[in-house]
PDB file of all heavy atoms in Angstrom:
ATOM      1  N   LYS A  35      77.191 -91.167  12.255  1.00 97.00           N
ATOM      2  CA  LYS A  35      77.024 -91.998  11.068  1.00 97.00           C
ATOM      3  C   LYS A  35      75.556 -92.276  10.754  1.00 97.00           C
ATOM      4  O   LYS A  35      75.129 -92.195   9.602  1.00 97.00           O
ATOM      5  CB  LYS A  35      77.750 -93.328  11.316  1.00 97.00           C
ATOM      6  CG  LYS A  35      77.655 -94.323  10.200  1.00 97.00           C
ATOM      7  CD  LYS A  35      78.508 -95.553  10.504  1.00 97.00           C
ATOM      8  CE  LYS A  35      78.305 -96.594   9.395  1.00 97.00           C
ATOM      9  NZ  LYS A  35      79.234 -97.728   9.530  1.00 97.00           N
ATOM     10  N   LYS A  49      78.659 -78.048  25.709  1.00 98.00           N
ATOM     11  CA  LYS A  49      78.844 -78.966  24.579  1.00 98.00           C
ATOM     12  C   LYS A  49      77.507 -79.592  24.238  1.00 98.00           C
ATOM     13  O   LYS A  49      76.889 -80.209  25.095  1.00 98.00           O
ATOM     14  CB  LYS A  49      79.785 -80.117  24.973  1.00 98.00           C
ATOM     15  CG  LYS A  49      81.267 -79.808  24.943  1.00 98.00           C
ATOM     16  CD  LYS A  49      82.047 -81.081  25.271  1.00 98.00           C
ATOM     17  CE  LYS A  49      83.177 -80.787  26.240  1.00 98.00           C
ATOM     18  NZ  LYS A  49      84.437 -80.425  25.625  1.00 98.00           N
ATOM     19  N   SER A  84      76.587 -80.295  37.184  1.00 91.00           N
ATOM     20  CA  SER A  84      77.422 -80.493  38.372  1.00 91.00           C
ATOM     21  C   SER A  84      76.920 -81.676  39.177  1.00 91.00           C
ATOM     22  O   SER A  84      77.681 -82.559  39.543  1.00 91.00           O
ATOM     23  CB  SER A  84      77.405 -79.237  39.242  1.00 91.00           C
ATOM     24  OG  SER A  84      78.107 -78.211  38.598  1.00 91.00           O
ATOM     25  N   HIS A  86      74.618 -85.113  39.444  1.00 95.00           N
ATOM     26  CA  HIS A  86      74.094 -86.146  38.566  1.00 95.00           C
ATOM     27  C   HIS A  86      72.616 -85.909  38.304  1.00 95.00           C
ATOM     28  O   HIS A  86      71.832 -85.720  39.210  1.00 95.00           O
ATOM     29  CB  HIS A  86      74.292 -87.508  39.226  1.00 95.00           C
ATOM     30  CG  HIS A  86      73.850 -88.654  38.374  1.00 95.00           C
ATOM     31  ND1 HIS A  86      72.680 -89.332  38.598  1.00 95.00           N
ATOM     32  CD2 HIS A  86      74.412 -89.209  37.289  1.00 95.00           C
ATOM     33  CE1 HIS A  86      72.563 -90.282  37.689  1.00 95.00           C
ATOM     34  NE2 HIS A  86      73.597 -90.230  36.883  1.00 95.00           N
ATOM     35  N   GLU A 125      71.218 -83.409  22.339  1.00 98.00           N
ATOM     36  CA  GLU A 125      71.743 -83.933  23.593  1.00 98.00           C
ATOM     37  C   GLU A 125      72.749 -82.948  24.159  1.00 98.00           C
ATOM     38  O   GLU A 125      73.740 -82.617  23.509  1.00 98.00           O
ATOM     39  CB  GLU A 125      72.431 -85.289  23.364  1.00 98.00           C
ATOM     40  CG  GLU A 125      71.491 -86.415  22.966  1.00 98.00           C
ATOM     41  CD  GLU A 125      70.539 -86.830  24.084  1.00 98.00           C
ATOM     42  OE1 GLU A 125      70.870 -86.610  25.262  1.00 98.00           O
ATOM     43  OE2 GLU A 125      69.464 -87.366  23.772  1.00 98.00           O
ATOM     44  N   GLN A 128      77.466 -81.317  28.018  1.00 98.00           N
ATOM     45  CA  GLN A 128      77.974 -80.556  29.158  1.00 98.00           C
ATOM     46  C   GLN A 128      77.259 -79.213  29.177  1.00 98.00           C
ATOM     47  O   GLN A 128      77.157 -78.538  28.148  1.00 98.00           O
ATOM     48  CB  GLN A 128      79.477 -80.369  29.081  1.00 98.00           C
ATOM     49  CG  GLN A 128      80.020 -79.669  30.327  1.00 98.00           C
ATOM     50  CD  GLN A 128      81.510 -79.882  30.524  1.00 98.00           C
ATOM     51  OE1 GLN A 128      81.938 -80.814  31.170  1.00 98.00           O
ATOM     52  NE2 GLN A 128      82.296 -79.009  29.940  1.00 98.00           N
ATOM     53  N   ALA A 129      76.761 -78.843  30.356  1.00 98.00           N
ATOM     54  CA  ALA A 129      75.972 -77.625  30.498  1.00 98.00           C
ATOM     55  C   ALA A 129      76.799 -76.571  31.203  1.00 98.00           C
ATOM     56  O   ALA A 129      77.172 -76.740  32.360  1.00 98.00           O
ATOM     57  CB  ALA A 129      74.694 -77.928  31.288  1.00 98.00           C
ATOM     58  N   GLU A 174      77.465 -70.256  32.792  1.00 96.00           N
ATOM     59  CA  GLU A 174      76.610 -70.757  33.867  1.00 96.00           C
ATOM     60  C   GLU A 174      76.640 -69.862  35.101  1.00 96.00           C
ATOM     61  O   GLU A 174      75.606 -69.590  35.714  1.00 96.00           O
ATOM     62  CB  GLU A 174      77.042 -72.170  34.249  1.00 96.00           C
ATOM     63  CG  GLU A 174      76.044 -72.868  35.130  1.00 96.00           C
ATOM     64  CD  GLU A 174      76.458 -74.299  35.409  1.00 96.00           C
ATOM     65  OE1 GLU A 174      77.627 -74.516  35.762  1.00 96.00           O
ATOM     66  OE2 GLU A 174      75.619 -75.195  35.257  1.00 96.00           O
TER      67      GLU A 174
ATOM     68  N   ILE D  46      86.491 -85.515  28.097  1.00 94.00           N
ATOM     69  CA  ILE D  46      85.745 -84.569  27.263  1.00 94.00           C
ATOM     70  C   ILE D  46      84.612 -83.903  28.026  1.00 94.00           C
ATOM     71  O   ILE D  46      84.100 -82.890  27.608  1.00 94.00           O
ATOM     72  CB  ILE D  46      85.163 -85.265  26.011  1.00 94.00           C
ATOM     73  CG1 ILE D  46      84.246 -86.429  26.420  1.00 94.00           C
ATOM     74  CG2 ILE D  46      86.263 -85.764  25.106  1.00 94.00           C
ATOM     75  CD1 ILE D  46      83.334 -86.841  25.315  1.00 94.00           C
ATOM     76  N   GLY D  48      84.264 -82.163  31.217  1.00 93.00           N
ATOM     77  CA  GLY D  48      85.017 -81.644  32.358  1.00 93.00           C
ATOM     78  C   GLY D  48      84.219 -81.646  33.650  1.00 93.00           C
ATOM     79  O   GLY D  48      84.777 -81.777  34.739  1.00 93.00           O
ATOM     80  N   LYS D  49      82.887 -81.527  33.545  1.00 94.00           N
ATOM     81  CA  LYS D  49      82.053 -81.501  34.747  1.00 94.00           C
ATOM     82  C   LYS D  49      81.905 -82.868  35.387  1.00 94.00           C
ATOM     83  O   LYS D  49      81.496 -82.975  36.537  1.00 94.00           O
ATOM     84  CB  LYS D  49      80.652 -80.993  34.397  1.00 94.00           C
ATOM     85  CG  LYS D  49      80.630 -79.524  34.073  1.00 94.00           C
ATOM     86  CD  LYS D  49      79.284 -78.949  34.432  1.00 94.00           C
ATOM     87  CE  LYS D  49      79.360 -77.442  34.324  1.00 94.00           C
ATOM     88  NZ  LYS D  49      78.122 -76.817  34.761  1.00 94.00           N
ATOM     89  N   LYS D  68      79.949 -89.740  37.560  1.00 97.00           N
ATOM     90  CA  LYS D  68      79.674 -88.688  38.544  1.00 97.00           C
ATOM     91  C   LYS D  68      79.731 -89.305  39.937  1.00 97.00           C
ATOM     92  O   LYS D  68      79.328 -90.457  40.133  1.00 97.00           O
ATOM     93  CB  LYS D  68      78.267 -88.111  38.333  1.00 97.00           C
ATOM     94  CG  LYS D  68      78.057 -87.338  37.051  1.00 97.00           C
ATOM     95  CD  LYS D  68      78.780 -86.019  36.995  1.00 97.00           C
ATOM     96  CE  LYS D  68      78.376 -85.078  38.100  1.00 97.00           C
ATOM     97  NZ  LYS D  68      79.266 -83.877  38.113  1.00 97.00           N
ATOM     98  N   ASP D 143      77.394 -93.542  33.757  1.00 98.00           N
ATOM     99  CA  ASP D 143      76.339 -93.447  32.749  1.00 98.00           C
ATOM    100  C   ASP D 143      76.905 -93.706  31.360  1.00 98.00           C
ATOM    101  O   ASP D 143      77.794 -92.990  30.898  1.00 98.00           O
ATOM    102  CB  ASP D 143      75.680 -92.069  32.798  1.00 98.00           C
ATOM    103  CG  ASP D 143      74.669 -92.000  33.917  1.00 98.00           C
ATOM    104  OD1 ASP D 143      73.571 -92.565  33.733  1.00 98.00           O
ATOM    105  OD2 ASP D 143      74.984 -91.430  34.974  1.00 98.00           O
ATOM    106  N   TYR D 145      76.393 -93.637  27.567  1.00 98.00           N
ATOM    107  CA  TYR D 145      75.573 -92.829  26.676  1.00 98.00           C
ATOM    108  C   TYR D 145      75.941 -93.179  25.243  1.00 98.00           C
ATOM    109  O   TYR D 145      77.018 -92.824  24.768  1.00 98.00           O
ATOM    110  CB  TYR D 145      75.886 -91.347  26.955  1.00 98.00           C
ATOM    111  CG  TYR D 145      74.677 -90.463  26.996  1.00 98.00           C
ATOM    112  CD1 TYR D 145      73.704 -90.636  27.969  1.00 98.00           C
ATOM    113  CD2 TYR D 145      74.505 -89.447  26.069  1.00 98.00           C
ATOM    114  CE1 TYR D 145      72.590 -89.811  28.027  1.00 98.00           C
ATOM    115  CE2 TYR D 145      73.387 -88.619  26.117  1.00 98.00           C
ATOM    116  CZ  TYR D 145      72.438 -88.810  27.095  1.00 98.00           C
ATOM    117  OH  TYR D 145      71.333 -88.002  27.151  1.00 98.00           O
ATOM    118  N   ASP D 148      76.163 -93.084  18.766  1.00 98.00           N
ATOM    119  CA  ASP D 148      76.056 -93.596  17.393  1.00 98.00           C
ATOM    120  C   ASP D 148      76.155 -95.114  17.471  1.00 98.00           C
ATOM    121  O   ASP D 148      77.096 -95.643  18.055  1.00 98.00           O
ATOM    122  CB  ASP D 148      77.187 -93.022  16.508  1.00 98.00           C
ATOM    123  CG  ASP D 148      76.712 -92.725  15.070  1.00 98.00           C
ATOM    124  OD1 ASP D 148      75.535 -93.016  14.755  1.00 98.00           O
ATOM    125  OD2 ASP D 148      77.506 -92.196  14.280  1.00 98.00           O
ATOM    126  N   HIS D 149      75.183 -95.796  16.900  1.00 98.00           N
ATOM    127  CA  HIS D 149      75.093 -97.247  17.073  1.00 98.00           C
ATOM    128  C   HIS D 149      75.463 -97.950  15.763  1.00 98.00           C
ATOM    129  O   HIS D 149      74.704 -97.966  14.815  1.00 98.00           O
ATOM    130  CB  HIS D 149      73.671 -97.610  17.496  1.00 98.00           C
ATOM    131  CG  HIS D 149      73.379 -99.090  17.458  1.00 98.00           C
ATOM    132  ND1 HIS D 149      74.329-100.062  17.647  1.00 98.00           N
ATOM    133  CD2 HIS D 149      72.212 -99.761  17.283  1.00 98.00           C
ATOM    134  CE1 HIS D 149      73.772-101.258  17.571  1.00 98.00           C
ATOM    135  NE2 HIS D 149      72.494-101.096  17.336  1.00 98.00           N
TER     136      HIS D 149
END
Side-chain angles (χ1 to χ4, degrees):
Chain A
K35 179 175 176 172
K49 280 184 224 270
S84 290
H86 183 256
E125 293 292 336
Q128 184 160 270
E174 192 176 48
Chain D
I46 58 162
K49 289 209 170 185
K68 293 290 301 172
D143 280 284
Y145 223 64
D148 217 357
H149 169 29

